[in-house]
């Protein structure tokens, strides 16, 4: 089969031939239709997060069809349409797993980081961590929901945005533009502060209440803010723009160092600073059902299989807008 894989060099990515993997007893073999391209994939390729598996195939926003199942799998059969997301496996026994916080499991594994992901014709995944996908769902529009959407949903929940409140979004990439739609559907007013003409144009197209530069002061205090951009310098900016009692959530897996925070300007008056770490399967189930009911539609650019390296470079250099999705099946 065809597969893209990282190389030992920072930023290295190559296309190669690889054997079709065989599913383990509790796994399914998935023929990939499409796979969303996420900033986390860029972090893996550019070694901005630790290397977990050399020469790994990235990609963790997969829509595909089951081709084979392991000996103990009863939840799926060949021909079922499924989605494969970032969270691949947890131990199921630690205090986090037992308390419903499996995203904090110290032994958790991730698609496209610990095991080969979806930038290939096939991948294997544990059946218990795979999502059923409706046969009539649009693959290109559904793929970004499997990480950009789920993580944005978790960030929005952790932001504790009051009904009808004002949400500030810093950075307006794939996850942010899905989260903005979700917040708008819930009755929020949404302000986006972001760099890049294309990102600001997309925010305006979605009907946000305010669109400004990355460090611009919003027109009124925020009830909550989510920082999607991996830029630590935006953290004090977001905190200072947030009203007393508000919450700022950092949604990225990686971020540049935070500058010193002035206690009075940034944190006093009960402003909270929170982070997001991966997601639980329950997050995914809740969000995918909500997205289908609300008919959330990411703005998608389809990328041919041979064009992955160029698309990753577009993401790296800030030339991408909305969600990029790799077409795998012909």
């Amino acid at each position: 089969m065809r597969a893209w894989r990282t190389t030992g060099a920072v930023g290295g990515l190559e296309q190669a031939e690889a054997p079709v993997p065989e599913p383990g007893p509790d796994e399914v073999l998935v023929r990939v239709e499409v796979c969303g391209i996420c900033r986390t994939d860029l972090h893996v390729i550019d070694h901005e997060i630790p290397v977990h598996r050399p020469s790994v195939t990235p990609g963790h926003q997969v829509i595909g069809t089951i081709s084979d199942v392991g000996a103990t799998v009863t939840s799926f059969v060949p021909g079922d349409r499924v989605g494969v997301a970032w969270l691949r496996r947890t131990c199921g026994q630690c205090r986090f797993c037992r308390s419903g916080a499996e995203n904090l499991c110290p032994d958790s594994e991730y698609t496209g980081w610990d095991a080969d992901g979806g930038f290939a014709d096939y991948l294997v995944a544990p059946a218990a961590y795979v999502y059923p996908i409706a046969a009539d769902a649009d693959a290109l529009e559904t793929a970004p929901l499997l990480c950009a959407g789920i993580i944005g949903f978790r960030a929005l929940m952790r932001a504790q945005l009051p009904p009808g409140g004002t949400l500030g979004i810093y950075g307006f990439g794939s996850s942010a533009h899905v989260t903005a739609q979700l917040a708008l559907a819930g009755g929020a007013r949404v302000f986006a502060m972001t760099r890049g003409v294309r990102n600001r144009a997309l925010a305006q197209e979605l009907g946000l209440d305010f669109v400004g530069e990355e460090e611009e002061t919003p027109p009124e205090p925020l009830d909550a803010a989510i920082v999607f951009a991996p830029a630590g310098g935006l953290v004090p900016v977001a905190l200072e723009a947030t009203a007393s009692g508000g919450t700022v959530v950092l949604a990225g897996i990686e971020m540049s160092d935070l500058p010193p925070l002035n206690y009075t300007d940034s944190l006093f008056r009960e402003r909270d600073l929170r982070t997001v770490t991966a997601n639980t399967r329950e997050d995914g189930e809740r969000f995918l059902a909500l997205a289908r009911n609300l008919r959330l539609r990411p703005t998608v650019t389809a990328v041919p299989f041979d064009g992955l390296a160029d698309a990753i470079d577009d993401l790296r250099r800030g030339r991408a807008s909305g969600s990029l999705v790799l077409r795998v099946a012909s």
Side-chain angles (χ1 to χ4, degrees):
M1 70 173 187
R2 303 168 303 165
W4 285 92
R5 63 187 182 190
T6 60
T7 69
V10 173
L13 189 66
E14 63 182 8
Q15 189 177 158
E17 292 293 315
V20 175
E22 295 184 5
D26 67 341
E27 295 179 335
V28 294
L29 174 66
V30 178
R31 168 117 175 122
V32 180
E33 296 177 44
V34 302
C35 184
I37 302 170
C38 179
R39 180 164 289 276
T40 300
D41 299 317
L42 177 61
H43 294 325
V44 170
I45 293 164
D46 286 356
H47 299 183
E48 292 170 335
I49 56 178
V51 175
H52 278 195
R53 179 174 178 173
S55 299
V56 72
T57 294
H60 56 274
Q61 300 181 105
V62 177
I63 301 295
T65 303
I66 291 180
S67 294
D68 195 9
V69 300
T72 66
V73 174
T74 59
S75 52
F76 295 103
V77 297
D80 286 346
R81 201 166 189 226
V82 295
V84 182
W86 176 237
L87 185 68
R88 185 179 191 275
R89 192 187 293 274
T90 59
C91 75
Q93 299 175 348
C94 70
R95 66 186 182 94
F96 298 109
C97 288
R98 294 197 308 270
S99 66
E102 64 181 2
N103 60 306
L104 301 179
C105 173
D107 295 320
S108 54
E109 297 177 4
Y110 299 94
T111 310
W113 192 21
D114 295 289
D116 288 333
F119 296 159
D121 288 316
Y122 291 89
L123 84 161
V124 293
Y129 293 80
V130 167
Y131 298 97
I133 299 295
D136 63 348
D138 183 281
L140 289 172
E141 292 182 353
T142 304
L145 303 181
L146 288 163
C147 181
I150 293 172
I151 291 299
F153 171 76
R154 186 170 183 87
L156 188 58
M157 296 303 99
R158 286 183 61 75
Q160 299 180 317
L161 183 68
T166 300
L167 175 69
I169 291 178
Y170 290 83
F172 207 75
S174 182
S175 189
H177 95 286
V178 175
T179 307
Q181 294 179 60
L182 186 60
L184 289 170
R189 301 175 62 218
V190 183
F191 299 164
M193 283 65 69
T194 185
R195 67 178 184 177
V197 173
R198 292 181 181 179
N199 289 340
R200 288 194 292 274
L202 177 57
Q204 290 167 344
E205 288 172 13
L206 292 176
L208 272 62
D209 295 271
F210 173 80
V211 180
E213 297 283 348
E214 194 171 43
E215 297 192 13
E216 190 168 343
T217 302
E220 60 186 80
L222 306 171
D223 293 308
I226 304 174
V227 180
F228 287 102
L234 290 176
V235 175
V237 174
L239 283 164
E240 290 171 26
T242 302
S244 299
T247 301
V248 173
V249 176
L250 313 184
I253 190 174
E254 186 272 343
M255 178 174 282
S256 60
D257 289 343
L258 276 62
L261 296 177
N262 180 280
Y263 177 70
T264 300
D265 293 338
S266 296
L267 294 171
F268 192 56
R269 297 188 62 78
E270 299 190 352
R271 282 170 287 188
D272 289 341
L273 181 61
R274 314 181 83 181
T275 63
V276 171
T277 299
N279 63 274
T280 67
R281 282 171 286 177
E282 183 182 4
D283 291 333
E285 291 162 2
R286 291 175 59 197
F287 170 71
L288 290 173
L290 185 60
R292 186 168 177 83
N293 289 338
L294 293 176
R295 299 181 181 179
L296 294 185
R297 299 186 63 183
T299 297
V300 171
T301 299
V303 176
F305 191 81
D306 291 342
L308 177 63
D310 290 337
I312 289 290
D313 197 52
D314 286 342
L315 189 60
R316 182 184 290 118
R317 300 183 184 280
R319 296 191 294 252
S321 178
S323 299
L324 303 176
V325 179
L326 186 71
R327 288 189 184 273
V328 179
S330 57

